[in-house]
Amino acid sequence: MTLKPYRNDLIKGAMAANDITTKKLSEITGLSTDTLTRIRNGEVNITLTNLIAVAGVLNLSMQEIFTPRQEVEEAVLATG
């Protein structure tokens, strides 16, 4: 299993939950739609500055974004 350096699944989910399109996120953050699409799909490494901007718009914490999915799933199993 390969772990991505950041949780792009959370970015995708937060965009959907907040009804924010890639175009709207681009307008707010100043990042190109192409770059945001690649970030959303986990295809690119993002600078911390840009990740903070994206996370801020989507109300995601850095802890959420950098906690590997496997750790989250294990924590849920341990408490459930």
Side-chain angles (χ1 to χ4, degrees):
M1 170 195 250
T2 303
L3 295 176
K4 291 182 170 54
Y6 60 91
R7 298 277 310 277
N8 63 303
D9 60 310
L10 290 177
I11 293 171
K12 281 184 191 180
M15 287 177 69
N18 292 296
D19 199 29
I20 295 178
T21 64
T22 303
K23 183 176 179 178
K24 182 67 175 177
L25 190 56
S26 173
E27 292 169 0
I28 295 169
T29 63
L31 297 169
S32 73
T33 55
D34 180 57
T35 296
L36 288 168
T37 298
R38 292 175 57 205
I39 290 166
R40 189 187 65 222
N41 293 331
E43 298 170 352
V44 66
N45 287 327
I46 183 174
T47 66
L48 185 56
T49 301
N50 289 341
L51 188 57
I52 289 169
V54 169
V57 172
L58 300 175
N59 296 314
L60 295 170
S61 73
M62 290 294 105
Q63 182 177 357
E64 288 174 299
I65 289 178
F66 286 111
T67 300
R69 171 184 255 157
Q70 183 177 355
E71 287 183 26
V72 172
E73 290 170 354
E74 288 172 358
V76 168
L77 291 174
T79 59

